Amino acid sequence: MKYLVLFAVVMTVLWLARGSRTAAPRGGPAPGATPAVPQAMVACPACGLHLPRSEALPGPAGQFYCCEEHRARGGG
């Protein structure tokens, strides 16, 4: 009986040691990683799609479009 208890204790210790080694690190981003800078979002007047301003196509009167087709249509 004492060997069964000893075996259970050894297995528990090994299980706890293994769990602490494989646990993912908690906290913020990895050291040296630069945080993403928020971008201004615009809505396409033709379909209402929101996209980053850097990916939008400029149109007349300061509007931004999601694709060339919508820009050609003029916001239809």
Side-chain angles (χ1 to χ4, degrees):
M1 181 69 170
K2 68 179 178 179
Y3 293 112
L4 183 61
V5 171
L6 180 62
F7 178 74
V9 169
V10 169
M11 293 304 292
T12 303
V13 169
L14 289 175
W15 179 70
L16 289 173
R18 181 177 160 237
S20 66
R21 257 189 306 146
T22 59
R26 297 187 185 240
T34 56
V37 177
Q39 296 186 24
M41 302 291 284
V42 295
C44 176
C47 64
L49 176 75
H50 286 82
L51 66 157
R53 186 174 180 171
S54 62
E55 295 179 18
L57 301 173
Q63 297 170 324
F64 291 93
Y65 296 91
C66 64
C67 64
E68 185 63 41
E69 179 184 349
H70 289 173
R71 181 166 62 174
R73 264 198 289 173

